[in-house]
Amino acid sequence: MAETVELPGRLAILPFRNKVLLPGAIIRIRCTSPYSVKLVEQELWQKEDKGLIGVLPVRDAAEAMAVLSTGSGTDPAYQSLKSSSDVVDSQKPEGKSLEGPIHWHNRGVAARALHLSRGVEKPSGRVTYVVVLEGLCRFSVQELTARGTYYTARVSRLDMTKAEMEQAEQDPDLILLSRQFKATAMELISILEQKQKTVGRTKVLLETVPVHRLADIFVASFEISFEEQLSMLDSVDLKVRLIKATELVDRHLQSIRVAEKISQKVEGQLSKSQKEFLLRQQMRAIKEELGDNDDDEDDLAALERKMQSAGMPPNVWKHAQRELRRLRKMQPQQPGYSSSRSYLELLADLPWERASEEFELDLRAAKERLDSDHYGLTKVKQRIIEYLAVRKLKPDARGPVLCFVGPPGVGKTSLASSIAAALNRKFVRISLGGVKDEADIRGHRRTYIGSMPGRLIDGLKKVGVCNPVMLLDEIDKTGSDIRGDPASALLEVLDPEQNRTFNDHYLNVPFDLSKVIFVATANRAQPIPPPLLDRMEVIELPGYTPEEKLNIAIRHLIPRVLDQHGLNPDILHIPEDMVELVIQRYTREAGVRNLERKLAALARAAAVRVAERNALRLRKDVQQPVTSSLLDHARLADGGAEVEMDDVTVADPAVPNALGAAPTLVVDESMLEKVLGPPAFDDREAAERVSSPGVSIGLVWTSVGGEVQFVEASTMAGKGDLHLTGQLGDVIKESAQIALTWVRGHAMDLKISGAGGSGLLDSRDVHIHFPAGAVPKDGPSAGVTLVTALVSLFSQKSARADTAMTGELTLRGLVLPVGGIKDKVLAAHRNGIKRVIIPKRNLKDLVEIPSSILRSMDILLAERIEDVLEQAFDGGCPWRKPAKL
Ligand code: ADP
C-alpha cells in the first residue's frame, strides 16, 4: 500500500482547523514560516527524494507548527509532530497556550504547488508568501517523519486509478447517482448562469470532467463547514461521495433561491429610491441648465437668511437652528419635511421685534379722526380718548382691555380700527365667533397631522408687526366643550402678567404679546365668562335711533357707498326723506349694516343706469339701442349678494364729459320700490296682529338688539293644561306658569272666571305661542306680556296695538326690573309703537335714550302687574271697572 511514487503531487496537504483541500480544487494559502516556504520550494524544484512527500497543513503553517509543537500522539494514524524550535514562526503569539494535543487528520490530499509569490517585507522582518495549490488525489498517512526543518510523510493513495474507475462506472447504482448529481449540478449552473456569464465554462466542465471529480470540485467551491469538508474528504467510496455531493449541491441551490427571493424584494425597494435619486439628479441638472436656482439647498439657505433677519430672541433662535439642522438632513419627500419647513417659515415670518413706529400721540387729531369716522357715540368716543390719553402718559400702562358690546352694525369694528389709526398702528381682526376648541386660540401641537398655529399667532404673522391693535371679534361667541375652554386661553392672552410669554402649542416657544393692544367686541356681555369679563372694560353701543341712522347715512354711508361705486353726488342723489323711508320700511335693525346694504343696492342700480346711458351715447351709430333692463338685473343682485357688483359696469371715468353733462339721478319712491322691492315693514303690523283678543306686544332683547315680540294665547276644550310653543327656554316657560297662576288667582277680581262662576280652566286648555317659532327664546322679561295676553284672552278684550311692554313678574304680582331697556325702547320706536310699559325700577335706564325718542313716546312705569294691565287696555284694567263705577 505504501507507495508514493504514483502520487502526482509532491506535497501532502492535511486538513487543519477550518480548511480542507479537495482533489481537483485549487486553493491559495498564506505562509509565513520559513518551514512551509522551504517545503514548497523543494516541491517546486523537485528536490525531495522519491517516495516521500512534504507535509503542509492547509492552514497557515506558522500557526499549525505552533500547535504541533505541543502535541503528542500514539495512534500510528495520528502521528504527532515533534516540537522544533527552529521551525516555529517568529510570529508565534507569546504565551498563547493551546489546550491539549492537536491531532493531524489521517487523510489528506496530495497537491501540486502551482505558484509561489513573495509578499512585501513587513517592518518586523516577516515576509508572507502566497502559495497556490491544486489538489490531486486523496491519500492516507502511513508515517510522518521530521526531516530537518520540515516533515515528510509516507502515504498511500486512496482514490481509484483510471482503470479501476472505468470499471466502477459500469455499476448501475453509480450511473443513477451520477445522473442525479449532474442534474442537480446543472440546475445550479443554470441559476448561476443568469447571474454571471462565466458559468459557461462550468457547463463545459460538467460534460468533460469525470463525475467523481466533479463532486469534489463542486463541493470545494461552496462555503460549507469544516466538518462537512472533512466528511467529503473521507468519502472515499464513490457512491457515498456522490450522495453527499448531491445533497450539498441541492442545499446550496435552495439557499441561492431563498437569497434570491430576499434580494429581489430588497432590490425592488432599492431601485425605487435609486430611481427617485436619479430623477432628482436630472431635475437638478435641468434646473441648473435653465438657470433656475431655487433648488432645496438654495431654498433652505434663503430660509436661514430670513430666520436670521427675523430678530428672534436667543432661545428661540437656538431652537430654530436645531430644527433647521434637522430639516437639512431630511429628503424633501420625507414625511416630516414639509411640516418642519412650514414651521420654520412661521418662525421666520413672525414679527419677533418688527413693530410699527409709534409717533407722539396727538389726542386732538385722534379725537378728530374718531369724529370724522363716526357720527354720535359721544360717550363711547370720550371713553376711547381717555383710554388713549392714559396710553400717552404711560405707554406701557396695563389698563383694562376695551370691549365694545352691542348689536351688529353699530360700529364696534370700525371704532377699533379708528383706535389703530389714531395710534398709527396696524389693525388685525381675529374672529372668535363659534370657536369652541382651545386649539383655535393656542394652536395644535406639531405632533398632529395638519397642525397649525392658533388664530392669534396666525393673525400676528399676517399683520407682520408685534404691536398691532388686535380686535378679538365676537368674544361672547366662544364656547367650551370637550375640546377645551377657549376662554381660559384668552384669559392668558389678555392677562398682562402672562401674555409676555404666550405659549402657542404649535409654536412651542414663548411669544411676547405684551406689545399688542387688544380690543374686544361682543353682542352681549352676559355670555362672556366672568373672569374674562373682569379683564375688560365694557363699553356699550346700544344701537341707533332713526335720526342717528339718518345722520350716519348722510354723513358717512352715502359718501362711502357712492365712492365705492365710482359715483358722486352729481350723478346720484339720495334725498333725506328717501333715506328715512329706507330706514323705516326696509330695515329694522339696531345698527346700520342693512341700511348700508340697501344704499349700496341703490348705488348699484344707479351705476347700471349710468353705464347704460354711456353705452347709448358711445354707440350712437349702433342701430339697436341697449334695451335690456339692467335695472332689473341690479335688483336681482340685491338679494344680499353684493358679489354681483362686479357684473355691473361702473361709470367709465374715461368719458367725464358725458357724465358731467348728464342730469343727476335722484332716488324717488318708485325707484326704491323698483330696486329694493315692496317695503318689508310697515307700522300697521302691530295693529293687525293685536286686533283679536289674546295677543299682546312684548319687548325682548336679542343679540342683534331689541325686538318686538308678539305673544299669542288661545283656549280650547281640554283638561286645564297649559301648552307652550315657540322654542322656549326653561325660564320663559316658568314665566308662563307664573302668569297663568296669577291670572287664575285673580280671575274673580278680573271678572274673567269661567262660565257660571266655575274655575277659569274648567274643561279648558290654554295654549300660548311665541311667533317666529324657529327662533329660540328665553328670559324672565316676558312675564307682564304673558299676563296681558291671558287677561285679553279670558276677558275677550283686545290689548292696545300701540303699547308694548317688558318686565319680570313675581307670583305676588310685582313687576321686577329687566335688562336692555334702551334697546327695547329703540326697538319699539322702530316698530312705530307709541307707548312702552317698563318696570318702575328701570327708570334710571331711560337716561341712555335720546330725548328725541323719549319725547315721541309715552314711557309708562309699572310697579305691579295691575299697573301694566291698567295701561295695556283701552279704558284701563278690566277689574278696576266696577270700582270706578
Ligand atoms: P359691528 O362691528 O358693530 O358689527 P361695524 O363696525 O362693522 O359694526 O359697522 C358697520 C358699518 O356701519 C361700518 O361701515 C361702519 O363704518 C358703519 N357705522 C356704524 N356706526 C357708525 C357711526 N356711528 N358713524 C359712521 N358709520 C358707522
Side-chain angles (χ1 to χ4, degrees), residues 370-377 381 404-417 429 471 473-474 521-523 541 544 548 551-553 555-557 560 564 591-594 596:
L370 278 175
D371 281 338
S372 73
D373 286 353
H374 298 91
Y375 172 83
L377 303 173
K381 285 192 248 180
F404 298 119
V405 176
V410 289
K412 302 183 295 292
T413 313
S414 63
L415 276 172
S417 84
R429 176 176 162 268
L471 179 71
D473 210 4
E474 304 196 310
T521 78
N523 288 141
L541 288 94
Y544 299 114
E548 283 171 327
N551 279 308
I552 293 172
R555 293 179 198 201
H556 299 278
L557 305 183
R560 194 177 332 147
Q564 280 167 357
V592 290
R593 195 165 284 165
N594 275 331
E596 193 173 2

Side-chain angles (χ1 to χ4, degrees), residues 123-397:
S124 60
R126 207 176 82 164
V127 184
T128 306
Y129 291 84
V130 175
V131 192
V132 180
L133 297 161
E134 184 192 6
L136 298 171
C137 69
R138 286 173 175 78
F139 63 75
S140 70
V141 178
Q142 299 300 314
E143 194 187 324
L144 204 62
T145 336
R147 180 181 272 252
T149 53
Y150 57 90
Y151 294 82
T152 57
R154 211 164 274 282
V155 298
S156 59
R157 184 182 174 126
L158 289 176
D159 282 345
M160 287 184 244
T161 57
K162 212 173 171 189
E164 285 167 347
M165 201 68 216
E166 275 166 12
Q167 205 179 344
E169 273 170 6
Q170 305 304 315
D171 182 351
D173 281 355
L174 194 69
I175 294 172
L176 200 78
L177 281 173
S178 49
R179 215 177 278 158
Q180 206 175 346
F181 171 77
K182 276 192 176 178
T184 321
M186 195 62 204
E187 214 175 316
L188 178 67
I189 287 173
S190 49
I191 282 196
L192 293 177
E193 210 169 20
Q194 294 164 5
K195 295 190 166 182
Q196 53 209 61
K197 299 277 175 315
T198 49
V199 217
R201 263 184 276 156
T202 326
K203 240 180 191 173
V204 177
L205 214 83
L206 206 61
E207 282 150 20
T208 52
V209 176
V211 73
H212 65 279
R213 261 288 152 85
L214 272 179
D216 284 333
I217 294 173
F218 264 81
V219 172
S221 64
F222 306 155
E223 291 262 328
I224 51 172
S225 68
F226 181 59
E227 285 69 31
E228 277 167 332
Q229 293 182 51
L230 265 191
S231 86
M232 194 64 194
L233 176 68
D234 290 343
S235 306
V236 182
D237 183 70
L238 255 186
K239 287 181 198 167
V240 175
R241 196 186 305 166
L242 276 177
I243 292 172
K244 198 157 279 174
T246 314
E247 187 191 306
L248 287 173
V249 172
D250 191 54
R251 205 177 69 195
H252 191 64
L253 198 65
Q254 301 306 334
S255 69
I256 287 183
R257 281 191 180 135
V258 172
E260 199 147 70
K261 251 189 209 166
I262 294 170
S263 77
Q264 261 173 9
K265 268 191 197 165
V266 176
E267 241 171 46
Q269 289 165 4
L270 242 179
S271 63
K272 194 179 164 212
S273 63
Q274 276 169 344
K275 200 169 135 193
E276 276 176 12
F277 176 75
L278 208 76
L279 287 173
R280 214 162 302 123
Q281 290 296 99
Q282 283 176 355
M283 193 161 81
R284 190 167 288 190
I286 292 170
K287 275 187 177 170
E288 261 174 34
E289 200 61 28
L290 292 172
D292 191 3
N293 284 332
D294 74 338
D295 66 340
D296 295 327
E297 200 43 48
D298 282 355
D299 252 17
L300 293 188
L303 179 62
E304 189 174 14
R305 275 198 300 281
K306 203 160 118 186
M307 278 161 56
Q308 274 161 352
S309 59
M312 299 176 198
N315 57 334
V316 179
W317 174 239
K318 249 190 225 162
H319 171 81
Q321 270 187 320
R322 214 176 306 131
E323 185 75 27
L324 185 68
R325 274 200 299 275
R326 216 167 69 86
L327 183 68
R328 282 219 160 98
K329 283 188 206 138
M330 285 196 226
Q331 285 289 327
Q333 290 71 31
Q334 242 168 295
Y337 185 89
S338 67
S339 93
S340 177
R341 213 202 134 105
S342 38
Y343 174 69
L344 284 176
E345 296 267 3
L346 174 72
L347 284 186
D349 282 343
L350 275 180
W352 297 96
E353 53 175 21
R354 216 176 313 132
S356 346
E357 203 183 328
E358 269 192 84
F359 299 114
E360 175 77 5
L361 179 64
D362 183 350
L363 276 184
R364 186 183 297 183
K367 190 169 184 324
E368 275 167 15
R369 168 138 211 149
L370 278 175
D371 281 338
S372 73
D373 286 353
H374 298 91
Y375 172 83
L377 303 173
T378 328
K379 264 198 200 164
V380 176
K381 285 192 248 180
Q382 184 55 37
R383 179 63 193 93
I384 292 175
I385 292 294
E386 284 166 20
Y387 176 81
L388 296 179
V390 174
R391 279 205 79 87
K392 181 177 172 166
L393 292 178
K394 201 162 182 289
D396 56 348

